Amino acid sequence: MEAKPSSSSPSTFIDQLVVPGDVILDLSNLTNQTLKLGGGLRQDGDSICVMKAGKLRFMKPNKYWVESSQKRYVPSAGDNVLGVVVDTKPENFLVDIKGPALAFLPVLAFEGGTRRNIPKFEVGTLLYVRVVNANTGMNPELSCMDVNGKAAEYGVLKEGYMFESSTGLSRTLLSSPPHPVLEGLGKKLSFEIAVGINGRFWVNASQSSTVILVGNAIQKSESLSLVQQKLYLEKLLKSINSD
Amino acid sequence: MEHRLANSLIMTVNERKFIESALLSDVRVDGRRPFDYRSLTIRFGSEDGSSEVQLGQTQVIGFVTGQLTQPYRDRPNEGAFAVYTEFSPMADPSFEPGRPGETAIELGRIVDRGLRESRAVDTESLCVISGKFVWSIRIDLHIIDNGGNLVDAANIAALVALSTFRRPECTLGGEDGQELIVHPPDVREPLPLILHHFPVAVTFGFIGIENTVVIDPTHYEEAVMGGSMTATLNTNGDVCAIQKAGGDGVLQSVIMQCLRIATVKAGDITSKIKDAVESYNTERSLKKIKRHKPDQQGSSDAAKQQMERLTVSSDPSGIGTQHNEHDKTNRRNNTLKSFSGGPASWDPYSRGVDGDALRTSLASRVTSLDTQKEEPVQANPEKSSSKSLDSSSFALTHEVGLDIKQSKTLKDAVKPKHKRRNKSNAS
């Protein structure tokens, strides 16, 4: 087995592929420093070990986590997700966010929410929500307000169709150089899209054929490389024009 | 309670509405038209009688096995067959381990009925001794991934597995001529089953208030549809079985229309199955043929020994070519050895070994080999290659014997590289 160069700083591993067992950080010569570990990392004695395969990410000043593409979503506070109402309780809505447990959406977590005006959601309503709390062993808590207590863009999504994707695809759809297929389609067609980091995206347009085209194009683009995506997009746009 | 909720398919109101409204303009969520079938892929396992069918996202594995059993008393001349289904919880979280659920039983019954009622499998040919021994065929269907329309996928998997299954040949023999002998597959070629025709299941779903008909529904459409109909037909257009599930009533004219469409689809699927099975059979028969070049028979001994020594016996390529390769490499190695025989002090393997002793042993070997080697090659350089090959291989056997006695030398370290180069040259 080849041992990776174990250095005291994990900078050599940042944005690199890591696999379970990799030691990214030796704590023995690090003192007076606080580290925050995210998913996929574990402290093992005096070292920080990787627990799952993926890319190691770092955020200043001291946050480390491993990012990978998977079907199951691991809730974490601050994420914007698409949830489906599964059940209504007097205090909470039970919402499925593709996580290991159903999430709670308190009935008062809406802008100007009081006991008087509790929204009525039937089972199967699609919501764009924010994860407020996510602790292990507890059901995650959701909210339909931003940090300032405003409704912002959160709330019910009407019409349209919700497509499933992997968490990796969702992340690329939201990343800052925009997803080439999404960008290209956006220039030609008019549609609405809402992407949840939990591996769901919702598309709406005036014509159902547009919704289907956009949804399938995005789903298909996941397995393509950048060059292939461009070719695929060109082909797609040609077929749209010829219609 | 919560566990239940997490396991069932969660469909939003939006999705239900969208599937219905999109169908009104003749499109489906995966981009198909109402009467488009998903792409069908048929693969085979390593053994006879196994199949892997992929229909869109749905994946089913079929496996057929045979066993000698006593026949049913009322049908002493007929073999038996049975269909068993296995729904893995990995395929769909709503499948629970343990007892087969409603859908599992329904699936097994539909496949079973299609094959049994139409007499697609010739059960009489499965009889070995009337009333005593018949072959009973067991069809196992494993659902690997549920992407909707499991019935069609499972039915195709069963047909493919049945058409590649082979049972061992049985004869009566022994001292009194009454003993049953089951010939192992390497003694006598196993026999395929006799299939009279392929009953192919084609499923339709009826969605929405207007009962819009779709073929090959996905699992989202299955969650929405009010009813479904599975028609089992063969290429001749004979309807072997029909299963109508769900509450929604369907007009007679719609059923007739479905049957017409199903006949066309059944034809397509049957030709796909036949093509796949045919290519499997040719591949299978090609595997049986063993190729020998008669003029290299004499040197095969040396080659065999060498193969053992080099432990490349796992390479299944033809013996003849491999022998040639070794011959070449050996010749090259010999020249190399005569070059490196003198300064053997940098030999990586000689660490910790008496250098002088090794040097003398190496030197003696090289000289003896050189004389052996040079003699035949130089004596008849213009003679046919086969002869020189033979004589050189004779020299080879000597060398191999020597090598076995010797511990590892530089030669062993150099060998793999040359071998690789030769292989790349050959290919």
Side-chain angles (χ1 to χ4, degrees), chain A residues 67-71 98 163-175 177-182 193-201 214-224 229:
Chain A
E67 222 171 67
S68 57
S69 185
Q70 56 196 35
K71 284 188 173 175
K98 268 177 111 174
F163 294 88
E164 300 275 329
S165 68
S166 67
T167 55
L169 179 60
S170 287
R171 220 177 290 119
T172 51
L173 285 174
L174 291 167
S175 62
H179 194 267
V181 173
L182 182 62
I193 187 165
V195 182
I197 198 79
N198 60 338
R200 278 174 177 164
F201 62 95
V214 172
N216 286 318
I218 291 172
Q219 276 183 331
K220 212 173 264 179
S221 68
E222 187 181 11
S223 55
L224 302 176
Q229 279 181 358

Side-chain angles (χ1 to χ4, degrees), chain A residues 96-241:
Chain A
D96 173 71
I97 54 167
K98 268 177 111 174
L102 292 177
F104 286 145
L105 175 63
V107 289
L108 298 177
F110 296 87
E111 187 183 348
T114 55
R115 282 261 152 233
R116 292 269 175 77
N117 54 359
I118 289 171
K120 281 205 176 81
F121 294 146
E122 58 174 317
V123 171
T125 309
L126 184 62
L127 299 168
Y128 185 63
V129 285
R130 188 168 62 93
V131 181
V132 176
N133 248 327
N135 298 317
T136 45
M138 280 170 67
N139 294 54
E141 196 186 317
L142 307 174
S143 168
C144 266
M145 293 182 289
D146 64 3
V147 191
N148 303 320
K150 293 278 182 288
E153 301 289 317
Y154 301 108
V156 185
L157 299 173
K158 285 176 188 143
E159 310 277 304
Y161 191 82
M162 188 193 75
F163 294 88
E164 300 275 329
S165 68
S166 67
T167 55
L169 179 60
S170 287
R171 220 177 290 119
T172 51
L173 285 174
L174 291 167
S175 62
S176 60
H179 194 267
V181 173
L182 182 62
E183 197 187 14
L185 288 171
K187 281 177 184 160
K188 282 276 171 196
L189 301 163
S190 69
F191 57 90
E192 282 181 273
I193 187 165
V195 182
I197 198 79
N198 60 338
R200 278 174 177 164
F201 62 95
W202 167 87
V203 182
N204 193 15
S206 54
Q207 279 190 316
S208 40
S209 58
T210 314
V211 176
I212 291 166
L213 187 127
V214 172
N216 286 318
I218 291 172
Q219 276 183 331
K220 212 173 264 179
S221 68
E222 187 181 11
S223 55
L224 302 176
S225 70
L226 264 178
V227 182
Q228 283 173 319
Q229 279 181 358
K230 288 215 172 101
L231 289 173
Y232 176 66
L233 184 70
E234 272 172 30
K235 219 172 82 184
L236 210 64
L237 292 178
K238 258 181 207 164
S239 71
I240 296 169
N241 286 339

Side-chain angles (χ1 to χ4, degrees), chain B residues 355-391:
Chain B
D356 278 329
L358 197 99
R359 203 170 299 158
T360 50
S361 75
L362 259 174
S364 68
R365 197 157 64 106
V366 166
T367 49
S368 70
L369 265 170
D370 271 352
T371 49
Q372 267 183 350
K373 188 80 200 162
E374 237 73 275
E375 212 178 333
V377 177
Q378 279 185 343
N380 38 16
E382 265 113 69
K383 279 213 170 175
S384 66
S385 63
S386 71
K387 184 143 190 214
S388 74
L389 233 162
D390 265 5
S391 50

Side-chain angles (χ1 to χ4, degrees), chain B residues 11 100 116 121 174 179 306 346 348 353 378 391 404:
Chain B
M11 281 277 283
R116 197 183 297 278
V121 183
E179 213 174 300
Q306 254 199 332
W346 51 275
V353 182
Q378 279 185 343
S391 50
I404 290 163

